[in-house]
Amino acid sequence: MLRAGIMVLLLLAAWGPSVPLRPARTVVVLDQSPSAWEATARLAPQLELPGARYLAFASRPQPIATPTARRTDLGQGTDLERALEAAQELRPDRIVVVSDGLWQTRVLPPSVPVYVLPVAPSPNLSVSLLPPAYPVRGETVEVRVLLESTTSTQARLVLEGPAGRLTRELKVEPGRQSLGYRFPLEGPTSVRAILQSPLGTKQARLEVAPTDQVRVWVLGDPALARYLEAQGFAVEEPKHITLPIRAEVVALGKSALELSPAELDALQSFLAQGGSLLWTATPKGLFFGGWERSSLADAIPLEPLQEDGGVGLVLVLDVSGSMLEADKLGLAVAGSLELIRSARDQDYIGVVAFSSSARWVFRPRPMTPQGRREAESLLLSVRAGGGTEIGEAYAEALQALRGLKTEDKQVLVLTDGLVQDPTLPTLQAAHQAQANKIRTNAVALGSDADRAFLRELAKQGGGTFYDVPSPQDLPRFFLEEAQRAFQREALVGNFPLSLRPHPITHQESPPPLAVILPAKAKPWAQGLLYSGSRAVLAVGEAGRGRVAALATDLSRSWQNWPGASGFLGGVVRWLAQTPARPRIEALRQPDGVRVVLEGQFERPRLRYAGSEQAMLPSGPLRYEATLPADSSGEAVVLEGDQPRLSLRLPEPPEWRWEDGRANLATLAEASGGRLLTSTAELRSLPTRADLPTRPYLLGLAILLFLLERYLERRAHTPRSVAI
């Protein structure tokens, strides 16, 4: 019988019946957030339940003695997740939630059934201020004023800030509407909004501060430096390029000839790593400074226009035996090659060599690409040897120039020794040539050159005498001579401007220029300012940086234009926003949180709440992803396995257009509870909780088993018999 009883008890324990014997433990969670506390307070007197415990919550939970108790220190949000965690710590059999369902955090269903009593959120009209995405000093920025209403009402909005006081009378409808408040951002400032309506007075305040100051190095353009200082940029005017370049933008108003090869290499590296360059047409800048023949030529977004007419130049080059010393001839040839490369298509260059006799290396020819290649090849074949007789070569040069149709005709004579033939005929020929508009320049190379003759030759020829003491100075001399010989002429006058659409030119209206350098935009660049067919401002991208070129001298143009500083500041701000400086922002929208990433990325991914999603391209160097509407906290941008940027997501608003009743129903069903329609239905819930009998049945079965074993042992124990 005992064994049969044990088997019955084990079978019952396996079935696991429960018996409603103990009082049910109930925790009531009351939403006292700003959107729900009025409705919750009206319902509270009907929530007195025998043996129940109560928690009030908003941004955080707090126990309360009765459902009618009101707490005002719980914050202004709705964090139901924390409230449910606090409720579960009380080990309830069920949780009753009274809320409007507009919580601001992700809510996971608890392990006990949740029964919900939905309440309607109170009517609300709220005001908030949205900051500009990337506020930059000196830029006109806009603060968006966002109004969200759950009802129709009249309202009065007052805005106070750097642009003065703005007052508007509004008819507000349910939903969301916004308006802008624009002002120039000169430094840290604040904007205040006051919204008055029958629903009360609401206020919002926003601090707006410029992003990090853009650092600019300005070389050789004091006028540009003053304009940028007025815009609040951190401007330095170094004499030389030093490493590292501690700037986002380098403005170049000085000649490329004034920079060493190491400095040019530093600028090239700076551009490749995400820095930006700006060229201006000072008297030594842009095409006046030989930049189109420098190692950075391909990065300049402007190129010179081919003007009508050209220059005819014949180099009378000494190739006597003395030119073999210290590689004088080799350096002279290297310099002559720079002269050829500096010429324009309409320029004519010839080289006549002299020693004991004269011979043409090549006669004057236009410096087209084909002409340059032929001239370079012939020049490299020159050999030295013989005496120093100049007369015949000079006469050949003059004769060749007379046959050219160019208006500007020049002879450049270079020698390192004493002239051996009679000099008087040569001087007379120079004087006669000068009368016929052929100018003669003379170069004395080294200490043994016939300076007296060369100085007189330049005088009679109406040109300039140059003294080059060392052969190593020849390449730089020829570069400088190329600048003088093929000098770009700036146009002076009144040049009206037309604009092309671009963020730099938005809402700008620059006046005419006083001086321009004839130029055109390169095919890969974007021309923004034009005077007729001439491009004045062009921009583009090079390496990982940006480039711009301005074909005017700021010391002579726009001096009386009040907007010059702001316009040039806009150019520099655009230059500073390179792919090497990625930017990210999060915008909360009705359907989710839109994350916008700008910069040079290959396959960026967004990590949030332990999961990742790809950020999809939405434009040049622009990527986007959308997170759920209830997302909050921090998100991280990954490239490969490396985190690149982190972002704090904006918190959901307390009042918003969302079906709170549906949120509550979903939570209740997921936990095993249900949505209640009234407090009467709440009171109809069972007052006693099921008591599980399995532990008791197992315990009783064990006791019976032990009893059965005891009795069996006793039955088999022999009894002692007394004798």
Side-chain angles (χ1 to χ4, degrees):
M1 291 180 60
L2 288 175
R3 288 183 180 179
I6 292 171
M7 295 301 296
V8 170
L9 290 174
L10 290 175
L11 290 173
L12 288 174
W15 175 35
S18 298
V19 181
L21 296 176
R22 67 175 179 81
R25 295 190 295 270
T26 302
V27 175
V28 181
V29 178
L30 301 166
D31 188 347
Q32 293 190 357
S33 64
S35 62
W37 79 268
E38 290 182 357
T40 301
R42 288 193 296 269
L43 199 62
Q46 306 174 46
L47 299 175
E48 294 280 358
L49 300 175
R53 302 179 71 175
Y54 300 92
L55 287 175
F57 79 98
S59 296
R60 57 183 176 275
Q62 189 69 36
I64 53 177
T66 66
T68 57
R70 167 73 175 145
R71 295 295 298 258
T72 60
D73 58 346
L74 303 179
Q76 300 297 308
T78 308
D79 192 343
L80 180 59
E81 179 71 16
R82 290 180 63 183
L84 291 176
E85 289 174 356
Q88 290 183 90
E89 292 176 359
L90 300 177
R91 304 178 65 81
D93 296 307
R94 61 182 172 225
I95 299 174
V96 176
V97 174
V98 181
S99 174
D100 59 7
L102 301 181
W103 47 75
Q104 295 172 287
T105 59
R106 188 184 303 272
V107 178
L108 298 176
S111 58
V112 296
V114 175
Y115 298 86
V116 295
L117 273 171
V119 296
S122 58
N124 179 69
L125 174 59
S126 65
V127 59
S128 58
L129 299 174
L130 305 180
Y134 307 115
V136 179
R137 188 184 302 270
E139 189 177 55
T140 297
V141 300
E142 182 178 72
V143 170
R144 297 301 298 175
V145 184
L146 183 64
L147 305 179
E148 294 183 280
S149 180
T150 60
T151 186
S152 298
T153 186
Q154 292 286 337
R156 185 170 186 261
L157 176 65
V158 179
L159 295 171
E160 298 174 346
R165 184 183 177 93
L166 173 67
T167 302
R168 294 189 62 177
E169 301 292 335
L170 304 171
K171 171 65 175 176
V172 181
E173 298 296 338
R176 176 184 295 180
Q177 66 186 82
S178 68
L179 53 93
Y181 182 75
R182 295 171 60 88
F183 57 90
L185 183 62
E186 302 299 338
T189 187
S190 63
V191 176
R192 182 183 179 211
I194 305 172
L195 185 64
Q196 299 172 329
S197 73
L199 299 176
T201 299
K202 302 291 179 65
Q203 297 189 28
R205 186 182 184 90
L206 178 67
E207 301 293 333
V208 182
T211 55
D212 292 341
Q213 273 190 308
V214 175
R215 298 167 296 178
V216 186
W217 282 9
V218 180
L219 284 78
D221 195 340
L224 175 63
R226 303 293 84 77
Y227 281 128
L228 298 182
E229 285 176 344
Q231 283 286 294
F233 293 101
V235 178
E236 295 184 36
E237 297 181 77
K239 299 297 182 184
H240 303 282
I241 300 292
T242 57
L243 294 177
I245 298 177
R246 300 188 184 278
E248 283 74 50
V249 180
V250 175
L252 299 163
K254 66 190 313 182
S255 169
L257 305 177
E258 298 179 75
L259 301 179
S260 68
E263 290 177 300
L264 293 173
D265 289 345
L267 290 175
Q268 188 88 43
S269 177
F270 172 70
L271 189 61
Q273 294 173 7
S276 295
L277 299 179
L278 167 64
W279 285 269
T280 58
T282 65
K284 292 185 177 182
L286 204 55
F287 311 137
F288 295 132
W291 283 100
E292 77 275 22
R293 297 182 305 281
S294 72
S295 58
L296 286 164
D298 292 341
I300 304 173
L302 288 178
E303 60 184 349
L305 277 174
Q306 300 296 341
E307 304 98 330
D308 295 334
V311 174
L313 185 149
V314 175
L315 171 63
V316 180
L317 179 62
D318 185 351
V319 294
S320 63
S322 61
M323 290 291 286
L324 292 172
E325 300 172 2
D327 195 27
K328 293 178 185 177
L329 183 58
L331 292 167
V333 168
S336 302
L337 291 174
E338 292 298 334
L339 195 69
I340 290 170
R341 292 163 185 161
S342 301
R344 303 159 294 180
D345 289 359
Q346 68 268 35
D347 295 325
Y348 286 73
I349 294 181
V351 177
V352 57
F354 70 92
S355 55
S356 298
S357 62
R359 65 183 184 277
W360 281 102
V361 179
F362 57 89
R363 292 183 178 274
R365 63 187 65 197
M367 288 294 101
T368 60
Q370 179 64 25
R372 287 192 185 92
R373 286 193 294 271
E374 293 174 355
E376 290 174 0
S377 177
L378 292 168
L379 195 57
L380 291 171
S381 67
V382 172
R383 297 294 181 266
T388 309
E389 297 183 14
I390 196 173
E392 182 185 358
Y394 184 70
E396 288 280 349
L398 294 179
Q399 183 63 32
L401 286 171
R402 290 189 187 100
L404 296 181
K405 296 181 180 180
T406 59
E407 295 183 5
D408 189 350
K409 301 175 182 180
Q410 305 176 28
V411 179
L412 180 62
V413 177
L414 184 148
T415 180
D416 71 333
L418 296 174
V419 176
Q420 297 172 349
D421 56 332
T423 60
L424 183 58
T426 302
L427 295 175
Q428 290 174 341
H431 182 74
Q432 182 63 37
Q434 192 247 348
N436 294 325
K437 297 184 179 179
I438 299 177
R439 186 169 71 253
T440 300
N441 300 314
V443 183
L445 175 60
S447 58
D448 297 331
D450 197 339
R451 282 174 172 73
F453 164 71
L454 293 171
R455 188 176 283 108
E456 185 63 22
L457 180 64
K459 179 180 179 182
Q460 294 298 323
T464 304
F465 168 73
Y466 300 102
D467 192 347
V468 179
S470 170
Q472 283 70 31
D473 296 329
L474 280 174
R476 180 170 289 275
F477 164 76
F478 274 105
L479 276 173
E480 294 172 349
E481 180 61 19
Q483 289 299 107
R484 293 185 287 264
F486 310 120
Q487 182 175 355
R488 311 292 179 182
E489 294 292 338
L491 303 180
V492 179
N494 186 275
F495 303 97
L497 297 173
S498 60
L499 285 73
R500 302 292 191 271
H502 192 271
I504 291 175
T505 57
H506 181 62
Q507 295 186 340
E508 294 288 353
S509 182
L513 296 169
V515 57
I516 64 171
L517 183 59
K520 63 179 180 180
K522 289 183 178 177
W524 55 266
Q526 184 177 4
L528 304 186
L529 288 185
Y530 283 85
S531 179
S533 61
R534 304 182 186 95
V536 177
L537 173 64
V539 300
E541 296 190 354
R544 294 186 68 196
R546 289 179 171 179
V547 291
L550 183 63
T552 190
D553 183 358
L554 295 171
S555 66
R556 293 192 282 171
S557 292
W558 289 342
Q559 290 179 314
N560 298 318
W561 179 32
S565 180
F567 178 76
L568 295 168
V571 173
V572 171
R573 281 187 286 271
W574 181 85
L575 287 171
Q577 296 172 9
T578 69
R581 305 179 70 199
R583 302 172 184 272
I584 188 170
E585 64 176 331
L587 306 171
R588 185 166 291 282
Q589 298 178 335
D591 58 342
V593 179
R594 185 163 65 101
V595 180
V596 181
L597 173 68
E598 295 179 347
Q600 183 112 25
F601 293 87
E602 292 187 4
R603 294 183 179 86
R605 305 190 315 281
L606 187 66
R607 176 188 291 168
Y608 170 73
S611 61
E612 297 179 8
Q613 62 172 297
M615 301 195 73
L616 303 179
S618 60
L621 302 177
R622 183 182 176 96
Y623 306 85
E624 294 189 14
T626 301
L627 296 172
D630 60 351
S631 300
S632 61
E634 187 175 68
V636 178
V637 174
L638 304 173
E639 189 170 34
D641 295 328
Q642 300 299 317
R644 286 285 303 275
L645 294 170
S646 61
L647 173 69
R648 191 74 186 176
L649 302 176
E651 294 291 337
E654 170 66 17
W655 276 273
R656 58 191 184 276
W657 288 98
E658 189 175 314
D659 190 350
R661 187 183 183 91
N663 293 339
L664 292 167
T666 300
L667 173 65
E669 292 173 4
S671 67
R674 71 173 189 270
L675 189 71
L676 304 178
T677 58
S678 65
T679 55
E681 191 174 356
L682 171 63
R683 295 180 181 280
S684 67
L685 294 176
T687 58
R688 292 188 172 273
D690 288 339
L691 180 67
T693 59
R694 177 176 297 168
Y696 302 101
L697 293 173
L698 288 174
L700 183 57
I702 292 172
L703 289 175
L704 290 180
F705 174 75
L706 294 175
L707 178 61
E708 190 268 341
R709 296 299 296 167
Y710 170 75
L711 294 177
E712 183 179 6
R713 182 182 181 87
R714 184 175 180 184
H716 289 81
T717 301
R719 298 182 180 179
S720 59
V721 179
I723 298 178

